[in-house]
Amino acid sequence: MIQKSLILSVLLGMALFTTGCKATRLERDYGNSFRLAKSNQILNPEATENLEPVYGLDGQAAEAVTGRYREGFEKPPEKPDYPLGTTLSGISSK
């Protein structure tokens, strides 16, 4: 009985060992996900050949937008006013 269980455990161990050495799908497809994501993120591969300047906002409009953007950080944001009030453990926040 002990010999049968010993032989069975050796065979089971060998089966597990040999399946662990088998080539996996990861090894066959390694890097495909990265290459696919990279190619999907490239909108225009020939963009480096275009040396024309990019047209957008003129100087005055860009300065106005930038000024309003920076002014937004000078004052702290206003606290929201909840008309119904909020409670935490029965204590009102108002």
Side-chain angles (χ1 to χ4, degrees):
M1 182 69 169
I2 295 175
Q3 286 180 341
K4 288 183 181 180
S5 63
L6 181 62
I7 292 172
L8 183 62
S9 64
V10 168
L11 289 176
L12 183 63
M14 289 177 60
L16 290 174
F17 179 75
T18 56
T19 58
C21 297
K22 184 179 174 184
T24 63
R25 180 175 176 184
L26 176 66
E27 293 170 354
R28 287 182 277 149
D29 293 339
Y30 189 78
N32 285 347
S33 176
F34 169 76
R35 285 187 288 276
L36 181 62
K38 182 180 173 185
S39 66
N40 285 337
Q41 290 177 2
I42 298 174
L43 184 62
N44 183 5
E46 290 85 28
T48 57
E49 298 171 7
N50 183 7
L51 300 178
E52 302 267 330
V54 178
Y55 295 104
L57 296 175
D58 63 337
Q60 291 177 345
E63 186 176 350
V65 170
T66 306
R68 276 182 279 161
Y69 174 76
R70 290 184 179 148
E71 287 173 3
F73 292 103
E74 290 177 0
K75 59 182 177 181
E78 298 178 10
K79 291 181 91 177
D81 185 25
Y82 300 110
L84 300 176
T86 57
T87 59
L88 180 65
S89 302
I91 302 171
S92 178
S93 64
K94 286 195 169 196

